[in-house]
Amino acid sequence: TNYIDITEDDAILQLSNYSFDGSVFDIFGALLNGASLVLIEKETVLNTHELAEVIEKERVSVMFITTALFNTLADINIGCLAKLRKILFGGERASIPHVRKVLDHAGRDKLI
């Protein structure tokens, strides 16, 4: 891609079901660049507290996430987003208050 560099130092969290087009970024972004691919159970995706724990425990550095889940993590456990190198999100209109909140907490140049 021309919008993000992925390296062997990255850990990419696969949040998308493999039948969803977003999974292509997760799977092939990791495998074609030597990064780690962090796989989780569907139940973990649905439990934001567990999801936040996995992000921190597995040292996830890059993830592609839906806007709704991005907003939820920003509200429930913004700390889990602080150490990510890049957060890609989309699928619906971004919430400006949530984007500002994450930028203020996690720093600039992390959101795509």
Side-chain angles (χ1 to χ4, degrees):
T1 68
N2 62 355
Y3 55 88
I4 185 172
D5 290 323
I6 299 170
T7 72
E8 63 275 357
D9 296 325
D10 284 313
I12 299 177
L13 179 61
Q14 185 183 357
L15 286 170
S16 301
N17 182 297
Y18 69 88
S19 64
F20 178 63
D21 64 347
S23 70
V24 173
F25 172 84
D26 301 335
I27 296 168
F28 291 102
L31 298 179
L32 293 174
N33 293 288
S36 298
L37 180 61
V38 179
L39 303 173
I40 57 175
E41 299 287 331
K42 178 181 176 181
E43 292 75 24
T44 303
V45 176
L46 299 175
N47 182 324
T48 52
H49 296 290
E50 285 183 27
L51 179 59
E53 287 178 16
V54 168
I55 291 168
E56 293 176 321
K57 178 183 173 203
E58 297 295 330
R59 297 185 178 136
V60 172
S61 59
V62 175
M63 69 178 179
F64 177 56
I65 188 169
T66 64
T67 303
L69 189 52
F70 170 83
N71 295 342
T72 301
L73 284 174
D75 286 337
I76 292 177
N77 188 343
I78 197 167
C80 76
L81 303 175
K83 293 186 180 177
L84 276 100
R85 187 174 64 77
K86 292 291 179 181
I87 305 167
L88 298 90
F89 68 99
E92 58 193 339
R93 186 174 180 203
S95 160
I96 293 172
H98 286 96
V99 169
R100 284 187 178 141
K101 184 177 180 179
V102 171
L103 288 173
D104 289 344
H105 188 79
R108 302 260 176 225
D109 299 322
K110 291 190 176 192
L111 302 181
I112 298 176

